C-alpha cells in the first residue's frame, strides 16, 4: 500500500466534519455540506436550509423577511445567501416574487377600504372626482 492509498490522519478527518449539528435535522454533516450563517453564526446542512428557503418562498407572506430558521433568531437571510443556496431558476422566481410583493405593498398603501360595518372591501374612485364608492352602498 503506497501513501496515496492511506486514509487521511485522524486530525484531518475531524476537520472535514462540522462539529456543530444542523439545527433543523440535528445531524453532523461534512463541512462542505454545511453553512454557517454569517450574522447569527447558526449552522445548518445546506439541504435543510435549501428546503426551508423554498418553503418560505412558496408561503409568500414572509418573502421579504426570510429569517434564520433557528428558533427565536431574528436575523434575516440575505439575498446573497439565497442566491448561493438556490439554483438560478429558483432564485429568479424569488426575485420576481419580491418585486410582486413590493408592488402589492405599495398598492395597499394607496388603497382605501370601506368603513361600512363588516364590509372592508376596497373603495373605487369615481372617475373625474376625488370621491370613492363601495359596492356595498
Amino acid at each position: 500500500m503506497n501513501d496515496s492509498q492511506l486514509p487521511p490522519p485522524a486530525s484531518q478527518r475531524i476537520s472535514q466534519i462540522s462539529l456543530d449539528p444542523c439545527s433543523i435535522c440535528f445531524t453532523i454533516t461534512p463541512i462542505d455540506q454545511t453553512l454557517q450563517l454569517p450574522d447569527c453564526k447558526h449552522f445548518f446542512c445546506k439541504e435543510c436550509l435549501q428546503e426551508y428557503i423554498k418553503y418560505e418562498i412558496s408561503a409568500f407572506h414572509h418573502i421579504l423577511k426570510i429569517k434564520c430558521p433557528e428558533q427565536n433568531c431574528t436575523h434575516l437571510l440575505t439575498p446573497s445567501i439565497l442566491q448561493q443556496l438556490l439554483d438560478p431558476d429558483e432564485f429568479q422566481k424569488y426575485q420576481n416574487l419580491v418585486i410582486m410583493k413590493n408592488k402589492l405593498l405599495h398598492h395597499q398603501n394607496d388603497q382605501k377600504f370601506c368603513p361600512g360595518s363588516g364590509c372592508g372591501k376596497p373603495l373605487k374612485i369615481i372617475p373625474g372626482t376625488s370621491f370613492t364608492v363601495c359596492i356595498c352602498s
Side-chain angles (χ1 to χ4, degrees):
M1 184 183 266
N2 62 31
D3 288 344
S4 65
Q5 294 173 328
L6 293 175
S11 61
Q12 189 177 354
R13 285 193 309 258
I14 290 172
S15 69
Q16 294 172 353
I17 298 174
S18 170
L19 299 178
D20 292 310
C22 170
S23 295
I24 296 173
C25 68
F26 305 108
T27 59
I28 296 175
T29 56
I31 198 82
D32 66 332
Q33 295 173 21
T34 62
L35 181 71
Q36 183 180 27
L37 297 178
D39 294 332
C40 59
K41 307 299 183 209
H42 291 126
F43 276 93
F44 301 96
C45 61
K46 289 179 182 177
E47 184 178 343
C48 286
L49 201 49
Q50 286 168 335
E51 291 305 313
Y52 168 77
I53 292 168
K54 288 177 190 178
Y55 171 78
E56 288 295 310
I57 291 170
S58 70
F60 189 65
H61 58 282
H62 294 294
I63 198 160
L64 297 179
K65 295 181 179 181
I66 299 177
K67 293 182 181 177
C68 166
E70 180 72 34
Q71 188 175 3
N72 300 321
C73 184
T74 59
H75 286 92
L76 300 178
L77 301 183
T78 62
S80 62
I81 295 280
L82 300 179
Q83 187 172 21
Q84 180 181 343
L85 291 166
L86 297 172
D87 69 43
D89 289 339
E90 291 168 332
F91 186 69
Q92 185 63 50
K93 176 185 174 185
Y94 160 76
Q95 288 181 312
N96 292 340
L97 289 171
V98 165
I99 291 168
M100 183 188 311
K101 180 78 172 199
N102 281 325
K103 284 181 180 179
L104 284 172
L105 290 174
H106 177 73
H107 179 70
Q108 284 177 346
N109 290 339
D110 295 340
Q111 183 68 56
K112 306 291 185 239
F113 296 91
C114 180
S117 179
C119 181
K121 292 185 173 109
L123 296 173
K124 295 180 183 176
I125 297 175
I126 299 171
T129 72
S130 60
F131 296 106
T132 57
V133 66
C134 182
I135 60 171
C136 73
S137 25

